[in-house]
Every structure is written in structure tokens, then in C-alpha cells.
Amino acid sequence: MAGWTVGKKVLATALGMGATGGAGLYVALDESVKADLTLHPPKLPWSHKGPIDSFDHASIRRGYQVYKQVCAACHSLKYIPYRHFVDVFMTEDEAKEEAAEVMVRDGPNDIGEMFDRPGKLTEYLPMPFPNSAAAAYANNGAVPPDLSLMVLARHGGEDYLYHLLNGYCDPPEGVELGEGQHFNPYFPGGAIGMAPPLYTDIIEYEDGTPATQSQLAKDVITFLSWTAMPEHDERKKFGMKAMLVLIPFTALCYYKKRQYWSLLKSGKYVYNPKKY
């Protein structure tokens, strides 16, 4: 290009910029017309989302029942111990009975052998599979994720999980699913390995609440919100107490600030040069 004239250089530059812009426009148009099979979950009015709202503890108890009877077969809650249940949705005796249902490997004993014993409050909820390889083998190669922090781990939180549990449907024309896959428009990509887990009356609630599919989803997600944020209620209580102290303190500080600075802000200084 050293021997090119100024006109040729300008023309070459213009052609290069045009080609680059055209390629960018083509990519943008191509992406814009592609069918997006992933739906964004609409927002729902969760009862604990307000600034001073607490969890529905009856719903947490029902949600634990849903998790125990439906979800625990595949998904773990490895960060949640039974002692967290106490005074949240169970009494201490109920939590002890719940923990005692699980046999825990312990030992060695006096003769050096391992033994099984009933669980205690300090035990964590049991894992459904002994290891990841066993979990993948039982689920067509996919390891079911732990649900302890799932509400915080997914974009959309409770809304995403609720619509995911209720969003199973037939795939649209042209979408082919692999063996053991199901179509859910709220799952990224649409193809999900988990079969629809909830159906109306799949379980019977202890308190007599009608076990509709939407009610089951709402309760188990409320329970998972609590597992992800067990300090939720205490945090809001502390925030309310802090506001009761900080609001009067802020008003007092503002009053003292106006008092101390009023002299400087309202004073008038005049310079009278000395005349000779």
C-alpha cells in the first residue's frame, strides 16, 4: 500500500469499515431472529418478600414434607442440619424424632467395629446417593444439584423455580429431545433431564391443606428459600430494631448540625478597608 494514492487508501479504508459493519449487522440480525426457547419467569407476590415480612412457617413445614417425600430421592440438602428445624417449623422433640429416623454410620466401638446409630440434632440431612458417580449413574449421567442454596444460585430465584416446576409441556415443532429428556421452556435450552416431579394429590398434607400442584410448588420453594436464608427473619427483626434507633439518632444529628453551623451560615462578614 506504500505506492497507493490517497484516494485508493481512503477507498480501501471505507471498504474495510463497510465490510466490518456489514458482518456485525449480519450477526446481530441473525441472533435477533433466532427463536428463544427459554422463557423469563414472571414475578410472583411471595409473602416473605416485603421489607418487614417474615416467612410463612406453616408453608415451610409443608414444604419440608414435599421435599422429604418427593425431592429427597434425588436432591440433597447437605448444608442443613436438623437442629435448624427447632423453633422454625418443628419443636425440639419433633426435630429429634425426625433426625432419629436416619441411621448414621459411626464408630469404631469398644471392639473396633463400625456401627449404625440413630441420628442426632447435630446431623446434617442425609445424601440420596453415596457419591457423584452413583448419582450420575442413576440419573442418565446427570448429577442432581444440591438444593441448599438453589434459590440464591439461579437467576430469578423463587420465581424461576416455581415456573420451572409448573412449566413442563410438549416440545414445539422442530425441537427434538434426547432419551430421558423433557421439555420445559423455563429451563435454559428447553431440554431438562428431570421428569415432572409434582402432581396434584401426590402427597397428603398433615394439616389438611389441599395438595394441588401449585400449592406443592409454592410450599417446597418457600422451604428452599428458608434453607438458603435461614437468618431471613432474624435479619429483618434486627433491621427494624436498628431503624428504631437510627431514625431518632439521625434526626438529633441533623438538629445539632444545624445548631452548630447556623452561626457561620447566617453570619455576615464585611470588610471595611482603612482609609488614610
Side-chain angles (χ1 to χ4, degrees), residues 72-75 126-132 134-136 138-139 144:
C74 298
H75 296 277
M127 303 285 287
F129 302 100
N131 51 60
S132 298
N139 293 276

Side-chain angles (χ1 to χ4, degrees), residues 35-261:
D36 186 7
L37 298 179
T38 303
L39 295 180
H40 298 284
K43 290 189 176 296
L44 298 173
W46 296 94
S47 60
H48 57 273
K49 282 297 188 179
I52 60 174
D53 292 328
S54 65
F55 277 123
D56 181 351
H57 290 245
S59 182
I60 294 177
R61 185 182 179 97
R62 293 193 300 267
Y64 173 69
Q65 188 178 347
V66 178
Y67 167 78
K68 181 181 177 181
Q69 298 186 28
V70 180
C71 309
C74 298
H75 296 277
S76 61
L77 284 175
K78 61 183 179 181
Y79 299 116
I80 305 300
Y82 287 100
R83 60 185 173 86
H84 283 180
F85 294 177
V86 178
D87 296 332
V88 176
F89 61 94
M90 286 186 181
T91 64
E92 184 174 349
D93 291 337
E94 287 176 331
K96 286 181 178 179
E97 291 178 6
E98 194 72 20
E101 294 180 1
V102 180
M103 300 305 293
V104 179
R105 194 71 170 171
D106 203 350
N109 56 14
D110 295 339
I111 60 176
E113 295 180 348
M114 304 298 289
F115 61 94
D116 293 332
R117 60 164 177 80
K120 303 177 181 178
L121 281 179
T122 54
E123 311 291 349
Y124 286 79
L125 269 67
M127 303 285 287
F129 302 100
N131 51 60
S132 298
Y137 179 78
N139 293 276
N140 296 323
V143 179
D146 180 80
L147 299 181
S148 303
L149 302 172
M150 186 56 64
V151 169
L152 301 178
R154 295 293 183 268
H155 178 70
E158 295 97 333
D159 299 330
Y160 165 75
L161 295 179
Y162 179 87
H163 292 292
L164 179 73
L165 292 176
N166 292 288
Y168 287 87
C169 61
D170 295 330
E173 292 293 334
V175 175
E176 296 183 2
L177 301 176
E179 183 179 357
Q181 290 185 329
H182 307 269
F183 183 76
N184 193 314
Y186 294 99
F187 187 77
I192 183 173
M194 179 177 69
L198 300 180
Y199 299 94
T200 298
D201 295 330
I202 193 175
I203 68 172
E204 184 177 350
Y205 279 136
E206 298 173 349
D207 60 1
T209 301
T212 62
Q213 181 175 337
S214 58
Q215 183 68 48
L216 295 169
K218 179 258 184 185
D219 291 335
V220 72
I221 293 168
T222 302
F223 170 70
L224 294 179
S225 298
W226 172 79
T227 64
M229 301 174 289
E231 80 295 340
H232 176 274
D233 290 355
E234 291 299 324
R235 185 178 71 242
K236 288 188 176 180
K237 287 181 182 178
F238 182 82
M240 293 173 65
K241 293 177 182 178
M243 293 300 292
L244 290 176
V245 175
L246 291 176
I247 290 176
F249 181 73
T250 302
L252 178 62
C253 290
Y254 180 73
Y255 171 77
K256 298 303 291 184
K257 176 259 183 186
R258 291 291 300 267
Q259 182 183 26
Y260 288 147
W261 285 87

Side-chain angles (χ1 to χ4, degrees), residues 13-43:
T13 302
L15 290 175
M17 294 177 63
T20 304
L25 180 61
Y26 172 80
V27 172
L29 290 174
D30 183 63
E31 292 294 327
S32 66
V33 299
K34 284 184 178 179
D36 186 7
L37 298 179
T38 303
L39 295 180
H40 298 284
K43 290 189 176 296

